[in-house]
Amino acid sequence: MAMPLAARTALLDRGSRVMWRTLGRPVDLDGEHAWLAAPMHSGSRVADGWVADAAAALGGRTESDGEGGLLADLAALDGPGFSARSIDPMIRRFYEQTSGWRMEVWAQWNPLLQPGGEFISRAFGTRVQQLAIPTRPLDVAHGMDSTVVRILDGDGEQHAAAWLRTLRESGDYVYSGCYSVRSLPGSDRPSVHVAFPLESGNVQVFLRPRALPGGGLELVSAPGKFGQDGAYVVVRERGTHASRAPIHETFRLYVDDEQVLRTDHVLQLGRMTAVRLHYKLTPQ
């Protein structure tokens, strides 16, 4: 008798957690490795199911009033070598008032890696409604909708923000991320921290900010050691384990000659460029 589909997908998901447990190291999210503590999910379908639980864990609440930003204040990233004052005011408004912006997206995959991206998107991303990176240009032809939900702590202060991005045509989730500012061990200034909850785990990215000439902003998750900026996978599988992932991203935000805010996003797998995305961001 054939194994039911739900059982096969559950086995596939657990197999991926076992793989990352094998590649990773034990971590203590309540102690030494608290910098990796981030929302996880209890079920296989993620979407926005983790958001209310993340607020409840803080003794707080969520707030979605159309005025939320990924960061309460871009100046929270200030430190040696970076000052939010040097960033174009339009870019600051985007990060601090993200709900007020409309997004158009273009994607171009490396032909060698596109089949693998298609498999991952179908086998995991679309099914679990998380990290379903578009693999064909027409996937995003009708645009992408963006919703920001602020996650408030018990004092009513913004602890993080959930940025939920869905395909306008189908309503499928592309990204469901938790955005905040976080300092890494031994770092001289904070990084942008993004966590993508998954069942019994998450994918996390620490992005180091840099001001560009002309008021632009660059965010980079570069190769490095455990505990430095970059991408991590955290899983709960017979204990909690974390591993650096060979994924590196660069975001460059800038205002063009026609006063339009744009972003160039490059995602690399090791040394190979996997996909390039371009975002046109306009105030609603």
Side-chain angles (χ1 to χ4, degrees):
M1 181 181 295
M3 182 182 293
L5 177 60
R8 294 201 303 269
T9 56
L11 188 63
L12 180 65
D13 292 345
R14 185 165 188 269
S16 69
R17 292 195 296 273
V18 170
M19 180 193 74
W20 285 109
R21 179 188 186 279
T22 303
L23 295 173
R25 64 177 70 182
V27 290
D28 177 9
L29 300 184
D30 295 319
E32 178 185 359
H33 306 103
W35 52 276
L36 281 171
M40 299 182 183
H41 193 51
S42 57
S44 60
R45 187 182 188 277
V46 179
D48 62 352
W50 59 273
V51 181
D53 290 340
L58 297 169
R61 58 186 172 86
T62 62
E63 190 171 86
S64 180
D65 56 9
E67 298 181 359
L70 299 182
L71 306 179
D73 188 346
L74 193 67
L77 295 170
D78 284 356
F82 180 81
S83 172
R85 291 184 178 180
S86 62
I87 303 302
D88 190 289
M90 190 178 294
I91 296 175
R92 291 197 64 167
R93 285 200 301 274
F94 169 73
Y95 274 98
E96 297 169 1
Q97 303 169 17
T98 315
S99 291
W101 293 76
R102 184 180 176 90
M103 179 182 299
E104 295 180 61
V105 188
W106 293 264
Q108 182 177 17
W109 275 79
N110 181 327
L112 297 176
L113 299 179
Q114 193 273 342
E118 180 78 16
F119 170 77
I120 292 172
S121 180
R122 290 179 180 273
F124 290 96
T126 303
R127 174 173 59 83
V128 306
Q129 295 287 279
Q130 175 67 290
L131 293 174
I133 301 175
T135 55
R136 295 167 295 184
L138 288 180
D139 289 343
V140 290
H142 293 272
M144 189 182 294
D145 286 325
S146 167
T147 301
V148 175
V149 180
R150 286 180 284 185
I151 300 173
L152 309 180
D153 61 21
D155 296 323
E157 299 295 324
Q158 180 169 324
H159 175 80
W163 195 12
L164 312 173
R165 284 170 282 178
T166 56
L167 294 177
R168 192 165 298 138
E169 183 178 32
S170 65
D172 284 339
Y173 279 77
V174 179
Y175 299 105
S176 177
C178 183
Y179 286 70
S180 62
V181 173
R182 188 168 295 189
S183 295
L184 287 160
S187 178
D188 59 351
R189 56 184 167 88
S191 299
V192 174
H193 177 243
V194 189
F196 299 99
L198 294 167
E199 182 180 12
S200 299
N202 52 52
V203 175
Q204 302 183 35
V205 183
F206 292 86
L207 298 147
R208 187 170 178 85
R210 183 170 76 92
L212 299 175
L217 173 65
E218 181 181 70
L219 299 172
V220 179
S221 63
K225 299 178 181 179
F226 194 92
Q228 296 179 334
D229 290 290
Y232 296 81
V233 177
V234 180
V235 295
R236 281 182 178 155
E237 182 66 36
R238 289 180 292 163
T240 305
H241 294 73
S243 174
R244 278 194 67 106
I247 299 170
H248 315 299
E249 295 182 90
T250 300
F251 296 83
R252 290 189 177 92
L253 292 88
Y254 59 94
V255 179
D256 70 12
D257 294 339
E258 297 181 346
Q259 294 302 296
V260 175
L261 179 56
R262 297 182 180 273
T263 301
D264 292 322
H265 175 193
V266 178
L267 187 151
Q268 292 181 283
L269 185 62
R271 295 185 178 182
M272 293 184 67
T273 296
V275 60
R276 296 177 182 271
L277 297 107
H278 179 79
Y279 304 87
K280 178 183 178 183
L281 305 161
T282 53
Q284 299 194 63

